[in-house]
Coordinates of all heavy atoms in Angstrom, one line a residue:
L1 N 0.8 -1.2 0.0 CA 0.0 0.0 0.0 C 0.8 1.2 0.0 O 0.4 2.3 -0.4 CB -0.9 0.0 1.2 CG -2.0 -1.1 1.3 CD1 -2.6 -1.1 2.7 CD2 -2.8 -1.1 0.1
G2 N 2.0 1.2 0.6 CA 2.9 2.3 0.6 C 4.0 2.1 1.6 O 4.2 1.0 2.2
K3 N 4.6 3.3 1.9 CA 5.8 3.3 2.9 C 5.6 4.4 3.8 O 5.3 5.5 3.4 CB 7.2 3.4 2.1 CG 8.4 3.1 2.9 CD 9.5 3.1 2.0 CE 10.8 2.8 2.9 NZ 12.0 2.8 2.0
R4 N 5.7 4.0 5.1 CA 5.7 5.0 6.2 C 6.9 5.0 6.9 O 7.2 4.0 7.6 CB 4.3 4.8 7.0 CG 4.1 5.8 8.2 CD 2.7 5.8 8.6 NE 2.5 4.4 9.2 CZ 1.3 3.9 9.4 NH1 0.3 4.8 9.3 NH2 1.1 2.7 10.1
Q5 N 7.7 6.1 6.9 CA 8.9 6.3 7.7 C 9.9 5.1 7.1 O 10.2 5.1 5.9 CB 8.7 6.3 9.2 CG 7.9 7.4 9.7 CD 7.7 7.4 11.2 OE1 8.0 6.3 11.9 NE2 7.3 8.5 11.7
N6 N 10.2 4.2 8.0 CA 11.1 3.1 7.6 C 10.4 1.8 7.4 O 10.9 0.8 7.5 CB 12.3 3.0 8.5 CG 12.0 2.6 9.9 OD1 10.8 2.9 10.3 ND2 12.9 2.0 10.5
R7 N 9.0 1.8 7.3 CA 8.3 0.6 7.3 C 7.4 0.5 6.1 O 6.9 1.5 5.6 CB 7.4 0.4 8.6 CG 8.2 0.2 9.7 CD 7.3 -0.1 11.0 NE 8.0 -0.4 12.2 CZ 8.4 -1.6 12.5 NH1 8.1 -2.6 11.8 NH2 9.1 -1.9 13.6
L8 N 7.2 -0.7 5.6 CA 6.4 -1.1 4.4 C 5.1 -1.4 4.8 O 4.9 -2.3 5.6 CB 7.1 -2.2 3.5 CG 6.7 -2.2 2.0 CD1 7.4 -0.9 1.3 CD2 7.4 -3.4 1.4
I9 N 4.0 -0.7 4.3 CA 2.6 -1.0 4.7 C 2.1 -2.0 3.7 O 2.0 -1.7 2.5 CB 1.7 0.2 4.8 CG1 2.4 1.4 5.5 CG2 0.4 -0.2 5.2 CD1 2.7 1.0 7.0
V10 N 1.8 -3.2 4.2 CA 1.3 -4.4 3.3 C 0.1 -4.9 3.8 O -0.1 -5.2 5.0 CB 2.4 -5.5 3.4 CG1 2.1 -6.6 2.4 CG2 3.9 -4.9 2.9
A11 N -0.8 -5.0 2.8 CA -2.2 -5.6 3.2 C -2.1 -7.1 2.8 O -1.6 -7.5 1.8 CB -3.4 -4.9 2.5
S12 N -2.7 -8.0 3.7 CA -2.7 -9.4 3.4 C -4.0 -10.0 4.2 O -4.4 -9.6 5.2 CB -1.4 -10.2 3.9 OG -1.5 -11.5 3.8
A13 N -4.4 -11.2 3.7 CA -5.5 -11.9 4.3 C -5.0 -12.7 5.5 O -5.7 -13.2 6.4 CB -6.2 -12.8 3.4
D14 N -3.7 -12.9 5.4 CA -3.0 -13.8 6.6 C -1.7 -13.0 7.1 O -0.6 -13.4 6.6 CB -2.7 -15.2 6.0 CG -2.0 -16.1 7.1 OD1 -2.2 -15.6 8.3 OD2 -1.4 -17.1 6.8
P15 N -1.9 -12.1 8.0 CA -0.7 -11.4 8.5 C 0.1 -12.1 9.5 O 1.1 -11.7 10.0 CB -1.4 -10.1 9.1 CG -2.7 -10.5 9.6 CD -3.1 -11.6 8.4
T16 N -0.4 -13.3 9.7 CA 0.3 -14.3 10.7 C 1.5 -14.9 10.1 O 2.4 -15.6 10.8 CB -0.6 -15.2 11.3 OG1 -0.9 -16.2 10.4 CG2 -1.8 -14.6 11.9
N17 N 1.7 -14.9 8.7 CA 2.6 -15.7 8.0 C 4.0 -15.0 8.1 O 4.3 -14.0 7.4 CB 2.2 -15.7 6.6 CG 3.0 -16.9 5.8 OD1 4.2 -17.1 6.1 ND2 2.4 -17.4 4.8
R18 N 4.9 -15.4 9.1 CA 6.1 -14.8 9.3 C 7.1 -15.0 8.3 O 8.0 -14.2 7.9 CB 6.6 -15.3 10.7 CG 5.8 -14.9 11.9 CD 6.6 -15.4 13.1 NE 5.7 -14.9 14.4 CZ 6.3 -15.3 15.6 NH1 7.3 -16.0 15.8 NH2 5.5 -14.8 16.6
D19 N 6.9 -16.2 7.5 CA 7.8 -16.5 6.4 C 7.7 -15.5 5.3 O 8.7 -14.9 4.8 CB 7.4 -17.9 5.9 CG 8.4 -18.3 4.8 OD1 9.6 -18.1 4.9 OD2 8.0 -18.9 3.9
V20 N 6.4 -15.0 5.0 CA 6.2 -14.0 3.9 C 6.7 -12.7 4.4 O 7.4 -12.0 3.5 CB 4.8 -13.9 3.5 CG1 4.4 -12.6 2.8 CG2 4.3 -15.2 2.9
A21 N 6.5 -12.3 5.7 CA 7.1 -11.1 6.2 C 8.6 -11.0 6.1 O 9.1 -10.0 5.6 CB 6.6 -11.0 7.6
E22 N 9.3 -12.2 6.4 CA 10.8 -12.2 6.3 C 11.2 -12.0 4.8 O 12.3 -11.3 4.5 CB 11.3 -13.3 6.9 CG 11.1 -13.5 8.4 CD 11.8 -12.3 9.1 OE1 13.1 -12.0 8.6 OE2 11.5 -11.8 10.0
K23 N 10.5 -12.7 3.9 CA 10.8 -12.6 2.5 C 10.7 -11.2 1.9 O 11.5 -10.8 1.2 CB 10.0 -13.6 1.7 CG 10.4 -15.2 1.9 CD 9.5 -16.1 1.1 CE 9.9 -17.5 1.3 NZ 9.0 -18.4 0.6
I24 N 9.6 -10.6 2.3 CA 9.4 -9.2 1.9 C 10.5 -8.3 2.4 O 11.0 -7.4 1.8 CB 8.0 -8.7 2.2 CG1 6.9 -9.6 1.4 CG2 7.8 -7.2 1.9 CD1 5.5 -9.2 1.8
K25 N 10.8 -8.5 3.7 CA 11.8 -7.7 4.3 C 13.2 -7.8 3.6 O 13.9 -6.8 3.5 CB 12.0 -8.0 5.9 CG 13.0 -7.2 6.5 CD 13.0 -7.7 8.1 CE 14.1 -6.9 8.8 NZ 14.2 -7.3 10.2
F26 N 13.4 -9.2 3.2 CA 14.7 -9.4 2.6 C 14.8 -8.8 1.2 O 15.7 -8.1 0.9 CB 15.0 -10.9 2.5 CG 16.1 -11.4 1.7 CD1 17.4 -11.3 2.4 CD2 16.1 -11.6 0.4 CE1 18.5 -11.6 1.6 CE2 17.1 -12.0 -0.4 CZ 18.4 -12.0 0.3
A27 N 13.6 -8.8 0.5 CA 13.5 -8.1 -0.9 C 13.6 -6.7 -0.9 O 14.2 -6.1 -1.8 CB 12.3 -8.7 -1.6
T28 N 13.1 -6.1 0.1 CA 13.0 -4.6 0.1 C 13.9 -4.0 1.1 O 14.1 -2.7 1.1 CB 11.6 -4.2 0.5 OG1 11.3 -4.7 1.8 CG2 10.6 -4.7 -0.5
Q29 N 14.5 -4.9 2.0 CA 15.4 -4.3 3.0 C 14.6 -3.2 4.0 O 15.2 -2.3 4.5 CB 16.7 -3.7 2.4 CG 17.6 -4.6 1.7 CD 18.1 -5.6 2.6 OE1 18.8 -5.4 3.6 NE2 17.9 -6.9 2.3
T30 N 13.3 -3.6 4.0 CA 12.4 -2.8 4.9 C 11.5 -3.6 5.8 O 11.0 -4.5 5.2 CB 11.6 -1.8 4.0 OG1 12.5 -1.1 3.1 CG2 10.9 -0.8 4.8
P31 N 11.4 -3.3 7.0 CA 10.6 -4.0 7.9 C 9.0 -3.9 7.4 O 8.7 -2.9 6.9 CB 10.7 -3.4 9.3 CG 12.0 -2.8 9.3 CD 12.2 -2.4 7.9
V32 N 8.2 -4.9 7.7 CA 6.8 -5.0 7.2 C 5.9 -4.6 8.4 O 6.0 -5.0 9.5 CB 6.4 -6.3 6.7 CG1 5.0 -6.4 6.2 CG2 7.3 -6.6 5.4
E33 N 4.9 -3.7 8.0 CA 3.8 -3.4 8.9 C 2.6 -3.9 8.2 O 2.2 -3.4 7.3 CB 3.7 -1.9 9.2 CG 2.8 -1.4 10.3 CD 2.7 -0.1 10.6 OE1 3.8 0.5 10.7 OE2 1.7 0.6 10.8
W34 N 1.9 -4.7 8.9 CA 0.7 -5.5 8.3 C -0.5 -4.7 8.4 O -0.8 -4.0 9.5 CB 0.5 -6.8 8.9 CG 1.5 -7.9 8.5 CD1 2.3 -8.5 9.4 CD2 1.7 -8.6 7.2 NE1 3.1 -9.4 8.6 CE2 2.7 -9.5 7.4 CE3 1.1 -8.3 6.0 CZ2 3.3 -10.2 6.3 CZ3 1.6 -9.1 4.9 CH2 2.7 -9.9 5.0
V35 N -1.4 -4.8 7.4 CA -2.7 -4.4 7.4 C -3.6 -5.7 7.0 O -3.2 -6.4 6.0 CB -3.1 -3.2 6.5 CG1 -4.5 -3.0 6.3 CG2 -2.4 -2.0 7.0
V36 N -4.7 -6.0 7.7 CA -5.5 -7.2 7.4 C -6.6 -6.8 6.5 O -7.3 -5.8 6.7 CB -5.8 -7.9 8.5 CG1 -6.9 -7.1 9.4 CG2 -6.5 -9.3 8.2
A37 N -6.9 -7.6 5.5 CA -8.0 -7.5 4.5 C -8.7 -8.7 4.2 O -8.1 -9.9 4.4 CB -7.5 -6.6 3.2
A38 N -9.9 -8.7 3.6 CA -10.6 -9.8 3.3 C -10.0 -10.5 2.2 O -9.4 -10.0 1.2 CB -12.1 -9.5 2.8
H39 N -9.9 -12.0 2.3 CA -9.3 -12.8 1.4 C -9.6 -12.6 -0.1 O -8.8 -12.5 -0.9 CB -9.5 -14.2 1.9 CG -9.0 -15.3 0.9 ND1 -9.6 -15.8 -0.3 CD2 -7.8 -16.0 1.0 CE1 -8.8 -16.7 -0.8 NE2 -7.7 -16.9 -0.1
E40 N -11.0 -12.6 -0.4 CA -11.4 -12.4 -1.7 C -11.0 -11.1 -2.3 O -10.8 -10.9 -3.5 CB -12.9 -12.7 -1.9 CG -13.7 -11.7 -1.0 CD -14.0 -12.2 0.3 OE1 -13.4 -13.1 0.7 OE2 -14.8 -11.5 1.0
K41 N -10.9 -10.1 -1.5 CA -10.6 -8.7 -1.9 C -9.1 -8.5 -2.3 O -8.8 -7.8 -3.1 CB -11.1 -7.6 -1.0 CG -12.7 -7.6 -0.8 CD -13.1 -6.5 0.0 CE -14.7 -6.5 0.1 NZ -15.2 -5.4 1.0

């Protein structure tokens, strides 16, 4: 969704998935801040 200060704002239907959070952090070199959204949306 965007970047706020030094964190990446990411929407996901499953924000509990630490593996995905680590992969995004590795790809962007930026910590992830989750926002939860409906699966189908």
Side-chain angles (χ1 to χ4, degrees):
L1 301 174
K3 192 174 183 180
R4 184 165 56 195
Q5 295 178 349
N6 65 335
R7 290 185 175 273
L8 206 63
I9 312 301
V10 181
S12 172
D14 181 13
T16 67
N17 194 328
R18 294 184 178 180
D19 184 45
V20 168
E22 290 299 320
K23 288 180 178 178
I24 295 176
K25 181 180 179 181
F26 176 81
T28 62
Q29 297 298 303
T30 307
V32 173
E33 183 175 321
W34 287 113
V35 173
V36 66
H39 178 270
E40 62 273 12
K41 294 185 179 181

